[in-house]
Amino acid sequence: MNIPLVLETDTVSYIIGDNAIEKSVNKFRQFKRIIVITDDNVEKYCLPVFRKKLSSIEIDGIITIISGEENKSIHQLIYIWNELTRLNAGRDDLIVNLGGGVLTDIAGMAAATFKRGLQFMNFPTTLLGMVDAAIGGKTGIDFARFKNQVGLFVNPTCVIADPVFLSTLEEIHWHSGFAEVMKYGLIMDRELWQKLEGKNYHEVEDWNNVIIKAARDKIDIVRFDVLEKGIRKNLNFGHTIGHALESFYLKSGNPVTHGMAIAAGMICETWLSSKIYSIECTCLESIVKMIDKNFSRFNFTENDIPRIMQLMKQDKKIRKNKQNFSLLRKIGKAVHEVEVDNNLIIQSLEFYINRKSIIS
Ligand code: GLY
């Protein structure tokens, strides 16, 4: 039987890995009532597992929202606030957020703002949630068709990430999480990168340990920089261009997953890294090859580049009108706040479009 990683930081308790849910049972004792916030998909596939593993814990209320990024909206936030009001939720109660990244973002925001803040725990049910979204206290909603436009940093009291839920995960969601797992390898964990390199996500032998390692990487960053003033910015590798592409496809009515967009962003931003830091050419080739093994290329063209550049200007990371990137010095080492010239950004998008043959 695998033993989960248990980690207590000043503000958050983490239990990550097989059997994490069973191990979390004592964390519920201090609360008067337990209210679960989940979505329609998770309610069907994961809530029964959650209930079975925590059969001694009584659930006093369930709030179910509609799944999907398009529903990470002010309307659903209001729905949750209304339901919390109906249930008379108060400061002695615990909110359990059970779901993927969209759910933990919106439900975290609802809990953190209701009656000026209720305590909440995150139980991520997707790979992306387990290694990224549920960790680090970013909560929020999309607004005016921009992702995460409104929100706040508030840490959950606990993050309990149990891979048991992954057996029901659809392929596109595996890919989405896998992009973020690769990112940890590239920005800070060479050993993790070596474990993954050359593999497709279903060729990875030991997901339990990969999740523990990736989640641990994220915790090691956010515990020292929750407000993203410094080192947390390294997590944005692939995200400046990736978010612009995600918005581009969302606005064109063909939404893509976060992971697909970040994978494309990592190709462009690895190219930028290779230009600015002249990382050995073999790194560029091998990183692009690994990403191409797992993700199909997008079909935007050179005519779309001005629009993508415009969308990049909405980036929350922009300071004083300058486009800052987190880039790689080499595999396992990232740097943040690298100012990049617009022409070079355009060339990185052209590289993405034109160098399709790198693995053939
Ligand atoms: N997903 C990046 C972060 O949490 O900072």
Side-chain angles (χ1 to χ4, degrees), residues 98-148:
L98 179 72
V102 169
L103 187 285
T104 52
D105 274 15
I106 188 170
M109 181 171 176
T113 48
F114 190 77
K115 293 188 180 168
R116 299 207 175 94
L118 307 185
Q119 295 195 65
F120 63 98
M121 287 188 195
N122 284 343
F123 283 75
T125 56
T126 60
L127 179 57
L128 183 71
M130 289 176 198
V131 300
D132 184 19
I135 300 170
K138 280 189 179 175
T139 72
I141 54 168
D142 301 341
F143 188 71
R145 301 190 83 190
F146 289 104
K147 268 180 69 75
N148 303 323

Side-chain angles (χ1 to χ4, degrees), residues 132 135 138 183 218 228 232 235-236:
D132 184 19
I135 300 170
K138 280 189 179 175
K183 184 193 76 182
K218 175 139 190 195
E228 204 170 329
R232 185 168 184 167
L235 295 174
N236 294 326

Side-chain angles (χ1 to χ4, degrees), residues 169-274:
L169 198 64
E170 288 172 64
E171 179 131 357
I172 54 161
H173 295 302
W174 271 104
H175 278 119
S176 205
F178 197 37
E180 296 288 353
V181 174
M182 280 186 220
K183 184 193 76 182
Y184 293 117
L186 291 172
I187 65 168
M188 63 190 289
D189 192 342
R190 196 181 172 84
E191 197 188 306
L192 176 61
W193 177 257
Q194 283 165 345
K195 212 173 156 85
L196 305 174
E197 201 176 358
K199 292 192 180 122
N200 205 298
Y201 84 86
H202 36 69
E203 291 164 348
V204 174
E205 284 128 35
D206 186 3
W207 267 110
N208 182 53
N209 275 323
V210 169
I211 289 167
I212 291 176
K213 227 171 155 6
R216 180 68 210 239
D217 287 338
K218 175 139 190 195
I219 295 164
D220 283 344
I221 285 192
V222 297
R223 67 192 291 190
F224 299 113
D225 181 23
V226 78
L227 295 179
E228 204 170 329
K229 300 278 186 219
I231 194 164
R232 185 168 184 167
K233 292 181 182 166
N234 285 357
L235 295 174
N236 294 326
F237 171 64
H239 284 59
T240 306
I241 293 178
H243 275 157
L245 290 171
E246 201 173 355
S247 294
F248 174 77
Y249 282 102
L250 185 66
K251 283 168 197 290
S252 67
N254 300 303
V256 296
T257 65
H258 178 70
M260 285 160 78
I262 294 325
M266 288 197 294
I267 290 184
C268 300
E269 295 183 22
T270 301
W271 184 87
L272 288 175
S273 305
S274 74

Side-chain angles (χ1 to χ4, degrees), residues 46-102:
C46 303
L47 186 59
V49 178
F50 177 85
R51 280 184 182 279
K52 195 165 163 207
K53 284 186 165 250
L54 286 175
S55 53
S56 62
I57 304 293
E58 198 175 319
I59 297 177
D60 301 283
I62 298 175
I63 300 173
T64 307
I65 62 170
I66 307 163
S67 58
E69 182 75 38
E70 63 281 19
N71 298 307
K72 198 170 142 183
S73 64
I74 187 77
H75 309 290
Q76 292 234 86
L77 183 62
I78 291 170
Y79 175 76
I80 300 174
W81 284 331
N82 273 324
E83 285 297 281
L84 290 172
T85 306
R86 186 181 64 77
L87 292 164
N88 195 23
R91 297 237 181 103
D92 296 335
D93 300 330
L94 172 73
I95 307 299
V96 168
N97 297 332
L98 179 72
V102 169

